[in-house]
Amino acid sequence: MHLSRRLAMTTSVLVTVLLLLSVLCVQSVVNRVDSGPAARTATADSTGAPLRLPEPTGRYAVGRQDVRLVDHGRTDPYTRGGPRELMAGVWYPAAHSAGLPRAPWMSPGLVAGFAENAGRLLGLPADRVDWAAVRTHAALGAPVADPGRRRPVILYSPGFATSRSWGTVLVEELTSRGFVVVTVDHTYEAFGVDFGGGRIAAGRPAGSGTKTGLAGPMRVRAEDIRFVLAQLARSASGSGGPLPRDLARSLDLSRIGMFGHSAGGVTTAETMARDYRIDAGLDLDGLSVTSAAKAWPGLRSTVRRGLDRPFLMLSSAPTAAKNSQSSAGGRGAQNATPAPEAEVSTLSAQLRDRSPRTVAEERLAGTGHYSFTDFQALLPQLLRGAGPAPRRVADLIGAAAPGPMLDRQRGLTVGFFERTLRPDRLPSV
């Protein structure tokens, strides 16, 4: 069997396993809502040491505000009753974070169900890892740095049936470098969304792997992003909106980027194709693991027409890749090499071929599909003591050294958005 086909099959199996985990989390969230909260787990990892996310490296402290958004002009397509509701996290450069509470990595209302099924996948007892103890570096209610200074805005869309919290490492890194980042949960597709006050919207994910299975949810995702942008515009213009004045004044909506993992990366491409407010997009292992044969009409149209603005795909590669393109420079990607014959069935290759001056792909050797989430930082910590089998971890995040891989991802992500959203700050040649 050809190497590219074998890798594609391996990735497909892993994505299916993680999708199953998300579906199981949905059922556990429903069970927790019905039966009440579970007892708090005892330890953070197998040695009792807390799991930690890596500190962001930029000059700014990180602040966060969670906002509930209600689209009164749209009936929720999942419940078919009442308006569409979303939760978003607005991450912003803060003046300081001293003495302020740190936001949890995942809402306490969602952790119990996630812990049960993460333990099942990793071969660990559900109470072995205290996921609720994981904290971000974001201070809740922190004062905005340099009030009135306008900053580029970057949107983040998570993978199918997952959570906006899973992209925290990259989100915090971008925020610490001076961007405002808005993370979005897609309600009823995410395994659970916590609206506060004990109200949790448990997921109702549609089937995947067929043309009809993902077309509906992906259409809803695009509408969610358009609504979020409209609410940000209301806040920035001073005509209402969900954000306080100092934070609203920080938004520069003339410079907007977007990125996402897996289905979130595909959402980024589809949104860019239809919404010219998005200036640049980054896909974290989305199109590269989406089969062209199973693409829905909207995605096929996006790929066929190509993209006319900078779009970079960072893709998983369990072994060294032979076709890495990393030329996303300036306002676009230049001199991208056409895809090899064996890769013609992948959407990432097709999009590169149709947009050679604006679209590029870089495959990161030694990675797995979930290397592009916070699990690249968290899962290796579980290998201390009597943790999961290393093979289980490698199946999810690959075998690359976790620290250097995190550094590389953060460098590529920040570098891409610096070049495309703040080219005026690049050193002159």
Side-chain angles (χ1 to χ4, degrees):
M1 183 182 297
H2 193 280
L3 175 60
S4 63
R5 289 185 60 197
R6 187 163 64 248
L7 295 183
M9 290 176 63
T10 301
T11 301
S12 177
V13 170
L14 293 178
V15 174
T16 300
V17 169
L18 265 292
L19 180 58
L20 175 61
L21 168 62
S22 299
V23 173
L24 290 171
C25 284
V26 169
Q27 186 58 53
S28 291
V29 168
V30 173
N31 291 342
R32 296 300 177 189
V33 172
D34 291 343
S35 60
R40 184 176 177 85
T41 52
T43 60
D45 75 357
S46 57
T47 68
L51 297 180
R52 298 184 184 278
L53 296 172
E55 291 189 15
T57 65
R59 59 176 290 200
Y60 291 103
V62 177
R64 192 180 95 187
Q65 178 163 328
D66 294 330
V67 294
R68 173 176 168 263
L69 304 174
V70 182
D71 186 353
H72 292 286
R74 181 166 47 132
T75 300
D76 193 291
Y78 289 94
T79 64
R80 302 187 184 279
R84 177 73 170 160
E85 295 181 77
L86 303 172
M87 284 298 294
V90 182
W91 307 66
Y92 57 91
H96 69 83
S97 58
L100 296 171
R102 298 298 175 93
W105 175 64
M106 187 180 292
S107 161
L110 303 178
V111 160
F114 171 78
E116 276 188 19
N117 296 290
R120 187 179 311 172
L121 181 67
L122 296 169
L124 295 173
D127 63 354
R128 180 67 60 84
V129 181
D130 187 359
W131 298 99
V134 181
R135 286 290 182 269
T136 70
H137 299 92
L140 296 171
V144 176
D146 308 321
R149 178 178 177 180
R150 301 280 182 171
R151 302 180 184 278
V153 175
I154 301 174
L155 302 166
Y156 174 80
S157 177
F160 186 76
T162 66
S163 167
R164 73 183 193 270
S165 66
W166 292 13
T168 295
V169 172
L170 292 178
V171 167
E172 289 190 330
E173 183 66 21
L174 287 165
T175 306
S176 77
R177 302 298 189 98
F179 296 93
V180 175
V181 185
V182 181
T183 60
V184 181
D185 269 333
H186 300 285
T187 313
Y188 298 117
E189 180 225 284
F191 65 76
V193 177
D194 191 340
F195 283 98
R199 181 185 166 215
I200 295 174
R204 307 176 186 184
S208 65
T210 66
K211 294 178 182 179
T212 56
L214 280 176
M218 296 302 288
R219 185 166 51 250
V220 173
R221 281 170 163 260
E223 292 169 351
D224 288 347
I225 296 299
R226 284 196 291 270
F227 176 67
V228 170
L229 282 172
Q231 294 303 295
L232 296 176
R234 283 185 61 212
S235 289
S237 68
S239 58
L243 301 182
R245 184 170 181 269
D246 278 354
L247 185 50
R249 291 172 61 210
S250 298
L251 306 179
D252 182 354
L253 297 181
S254 70
R255 296 180 290 172
I256 301 177
M258 183 172 172
F259 76 118
H261 172 247
S262 194
V266 178
T267 302
T268 300
E270 291 197 293
T271 303
M272 283 187 67
R274 293 161 177 77
D275 194 327
Y276 275 80
R277 290 175 293 182
I278 310 295
D279 297 302
L282 175 64
D283 168 14
L284 304 174
D285 215 32
L287 288 168
S288 61
V289 298
T290 304
S291 168
K294 296 180 179 179
W296 47 97
L299 182 56
R300 285 199 299 271
S301 175
T302 294
V303 172
R304 184 174 61 252
R305 295 179 181 180
L307 296 174
D308 61 0
R309 283 150 290 149
F311 188 76
L312 175 62
M313 297 174 285
L314 299 183
S315 303
S316 59
T319 57
K322 297 179 180 180
N323 65 316
S324 173
Q325 281 93 49
S326 56
S327 55
R331 289 294 295 176
Q334 301 175 4
N335 304 319
T337 305
E341 182 83 16
E343 283 198 5
V344 73
S345 64
T346 67
L347 291 173
S348 59
Q350 292 182 15
L351 185 60
R352 288 200 319 260
D353 287 347
R354 286 159 176 77
S355 314
R357 295 187 59 81
T358 54
V359 175
E361 180 175 19
E362 180 154 346
R363 293 186 178 272
L364 304 187
T367 56
H369 186 59
Y370 280 79
S371 294
F372 304 95
T373 69
D374 295 344
F375 298 114
Q376 178 69 41
L378 295 173
L379 293 187
Q381 298 175 52
L382 296 178
L383 295 176
R384 300 185 296 236
R391 182 175 178 180
R392 288 182 184 244
V393 172
D395 282 346
L396 300 175
I397 62 171
M405 181 51 63
L406 281 171
D407 291 343
R408 189 176 181 198
Q409 286 185 38
R410 293 200 286 191
L412 288 167
T413 300
V414 171
F416 174 73
F417 285 119
E418 287 281 4
R419 289 191 299 274
T420 55
L421 301 182
R422 295 199 291 212
D424 53 301
R425 294 183 49 171
L426 296 176
S428 59
V429 178

